[in-house]
Amino acid sequence: MVADPKRFLSDLFHAAIESAQPEKCIPNFLPAHPKGRLIVIGAGKASAAMARAVEDNWDGDLSGLVITRYGYNVPCQSIEIIEAAHPVPDQAGLNGAKHMLELVSDLSADDTVLCLISGGGSSLLPLPFDGLSLEDKQTINKELLRCGATISEMNCVRRHLSQIKGGRLAAACHPAKVINLLISDVPGDDPINIASGPTVADPTTCADALAIVERYKIKLPARALEILETSAGETPDAADPRLTNVETHMIATPQIALEAAAALSEQQGVSTYILGDSIEGEASDAGVVMAGIAKQVAARGQPFKAPCLLLSGGETTVTIKGKGRGGRNVEFLLSLAVALDGQKGIYALAGDTDGVDGIEEIAGAYCDPTTLERAWADEINPRLSLANNDGHGFFEAIGDSIITGPTLTNVNDFRAIFIEAV
C-alpha cells in the first residue's frame, strides 16, 4: 500500500507531467510532406520542446519560429526560438509576434504551416490592436489576472484587443494549409482558449468582451474601450474563408494527465477516482468543497471507501485581496488544509504542471495532518496567510513547497487527495 504519502503523491504528479511531454505526443501527429514548404510556428511554455520534437522526427526541410517563456528554451537547428515574459508580456514577445506574422505573410497553397500551441501562449504573443501600446497590453493583462475572471473570460478580452489572437494568425497564413497541434491547459480543452486561439475561428464578439469588462469592473485604457465599443476588434469566425483550410489536433490534455496518474495509483493498489478535469471557480472555495468530500470519505465511506485517491484538474482563479506570494494551487491547498483542520489520514498535493504556480518558480505544495500544527509552531497563522493570499510564503516556511523547475509542458492544474483507512 502507501508507506510514504508525500512520495506517493509526488510520483503521481510527475507521472501526469511525463504523460504530456512533447517528445511523446508529437510524432503521431506530424503531417505528410507538403508540395511546398513546411513552416513551423508556435507559442507557449511547451512550444520549444514541441519544436525540438518536430525536428527530431521530421526527415525533410523545415523552418520556423516559436516563442516560449524565459527558461523554457530547448535548442533547435532549423526553428528559431525566442524567449519572452509570462504572465505579463514584454518587448521580446511583441517583437517575436511581429516577426511571426511576417514569416507567414507570403505563403502559397502548396505550403503547410505546423502550429505548435500550448498554455502560456497568450502572454507570449502580445501584439496589441492598432492604437494600443505594449504598456497598455501589460496593464490590461494585470487587471485581468487580478479580477477573478475565468481563463475563458480573460482570453475573450485578449482576443478582441489583439492583432494576432482569435484566428488572426491563421488568417495571415492563408492560403497555406494550417495544422494545429495543441497541448491543452484550459478547462474543456476548447481550442479558442488555448493561448487565446491564434489559429482557430473565434465564436465570440466584441460585445462578449465588453460584457466581461463591465461584469468585473475592469479598468481599460480609453483606446481599448473604443475598440470593443465600436466592434473594431472583431475576429475571424467559422465562416471566414481564410480559415477553411485549418485542422486541429489535441495532442495532450488535462484528462490524459489525470489518467496517467490514476493508472500509477491503481498499480499501487489504491482505488482512484477522477472528479473532473475542468474544475473552475475561486481556488479557496474549491479547497473547502474538496475538504468536505474528503472528510465524508474518511468518516462515512461515501461516496468512496478509504483508502482511495481523489484526482482533479482544471484552472481555478484567485481574486487577489492580500499582498502575499500566492498562486491558485497553493491557495487551493491552504484552503483545503484550513478546512481539514488537521484531520488524520488525509494528505494532498496541488501543483501546476508547467512548474510555475502564479509567478513563482514553484509548482505547488503538499499538505498532511501535521500542516497546521507545524505552522502554528513556527508562529504562522494559516487563516491569516490565506486571507493575505500567501500560499507560497506559508508552505515554503514549513518546507512543503513542490519545486520541479521548467517541465517543458503545460496541462494545467493537478490536485490529488489521498485518504487512508484510519
Side-chain angles (χ1 to χ4, degrees):
M1 224 31 184
V2 176
D4 183 345
K6 187 173 185 178
R7 174 67 180 271
F8 169 65
L9 294 174
S10 180
D11 287 347
L12 300 184
F13 184 40
H14 286 283
I17 293 169
E18 185 64 23
S19 74
Q21 288 301 310
E23 63 189 23
K24 291 188 173 184
C25 307
I26 288 284
N28 292 335
F29 292 93
L30 291 178
H33 283 73
K35 290 182 181 180
R37 297 171 291 170
L38 180 69
I39 308 297
V40 180
I41 60 174
K45 297 172 188 174
S47 63
M50 295 169 80
R52 176 65 172 270
V54 171
E55 286 196 346
D56 288 346
N57 292 277
W58 185 258
D59 60 359
D61 293 333
L62 55 76
S63 62
L65 164 71
V66 302
I67 306 172
T68 194
R69 187 179 192 268
Y70 289 118
Y72 283 62
N73 188 4
V74 177
C76 293
Q77 293 184 346
S78 301
I79 302 169
E80 181 183 358
I81 310 296
I82 291 177
E83 291 182 290
H86 177 278
V88 178
D90 68 357
Q91 188 67 42
L94 177 62
N95 294 342
K98 288 180 179 178
H99 184 19
M100 190 174 294
L101 279 181
E102 293 168 357
L103 190 66
V104 300
S105 64
D106 63 344
L107 302 182
S108 74
D110 290 334
D111 297 325
T112 293
V113 176
L114 188 63
C115 189
L116 312 176
I117 297 291
S118 66
S122 190
S123 296
L124 296 167
L125 285 174
L127 191 56
F129 204 85
D130 288 341
L132 291 177
S133 66
L134 176 62
E135 290 73 21
D136 290 331
K137 186 77 171 179
Q138 292 169 334
T139 298
I140 293 166
N141 227 41
K142 289 176 182 177
E143 287 294 314
L144 290 170
L145 290 168
R146 290 182 62 86
C147 74
T150 67
I151 187 64
S152 61
E153 291 172 326
M154 287 191 281
N155 284 342
C156 178
V157 176
R158 288 165 171 162
R159 288 194 296 272
H160 294 285
L161 297 174
S162 171
Q163 295 187 61
I164 197 168
K165 299 179 176 70
R168 288 192 172 96
L169 180 56
C173 295
H174 181 77
K177 181 176 184 177
V178 176
I179 300 175
N180 294 317
L181 303 187
L182 309 183
I183 294 181
S184 172
D185 72 324
V186 298
D189 305 328
D190 188 344
I192 195 60
N193 283 323
I194 302 171
S196 297
T199 51
V200 295
D202 185 5
T204 68
T205 66
C206 284
D208 296 323
L210 191 59
I212 292 165
V213 169
E214 293 171 348
R215 183 180 310 138
Y216 291 96
K217 296 179 172 56
I218 300 169
K219 296 179 181 179
L220 294 183
R223 173 56 179 158
L225 271 178
E226 179 187 11
I227 292 166
L228 298 182
E229 290 173 344
T230 63
S231 298
E234 294 296 3
T235 46
D237 60 18
D240 193 305
R242 296 171 297 175
L243 272 61
T244 57
N245 200 16
V246 175
E247 66 179 62
T248 299
H249 303 278
M250 205 71 62
I251 67 171
T253 67
Q255 178 67 18
I256 293 172
L258 293 174
E259 289 176 355
L264 179 59
S265 176
E266 293 279 357
Q267 288 173 14
Q268 298 189 40
V270 179
S271 298
T272 303
Y273 306 93
I274 297 176
L275 302 183
D277 70 337
S278 55
I279 293 173
E280 297 181 85
E282 281 288 327
S284 57
D285 293 342
V288 173
V289 171
M290 290 296 184
I293 295 172
K295 289 192 285 188
Q296 185 75 0
V297 170
R300 305 185 185 280
Q302 297 172 333
F304 316 112
K305 293 188 181 299
C308 68
L309 178 76
L310 309 180
L311 293 174
S312 65
E315 185 166 347
T316 59
T317 53
V318 178
T319 302
I320 299 174
K321 298 177 181 178
K323 297 182 179 180
R325 296 164 48 231
R328 59 182 183 262
N329 286 285
V330 288
E331 178 100 353
F332 162 85
L333 197 67
L334 182 51
S335 175
L336 177 89
V338 169
L340 289 174
D341 195 25
Q343 180 157 338
K344 293 181 179 180
I346 302 177
Y347 309 81
L349 181 149
D352 198 320
T353 54
D354 66 2
V356 179
D357 187 30
I359 60 174
E360 297 273 344
E361 300 297 321
I362 301 172
Y366 165 82
C367 76
D368 63 25
T370 70
T371 293
L372 299 191
E373 179 184 348
R374 288 182 286 126
W376 283 114
D378 287 340
E379 299 184 348
I380 300 170
N381 185 320
R383 291 185 181 276
L384 289 181
S385 293
L386 183 60
N388 197 35
N389 304 121
D390 193 31
H392 281 311
F394 177 89
F395 287 107
E396 189 175 67
I398 62 173
D400 278 335
S401 296
I402 302 295
I403 299 173
T404 62
T407 65
L408 306 182
T409 192
N410 185 11
V411 283
N412 223 329
D413 298 340
F414 175 90
R415 296 179 290 269
I417 303 172
F418 173 58
I419 306 150
E420 63 184 7
V422 179

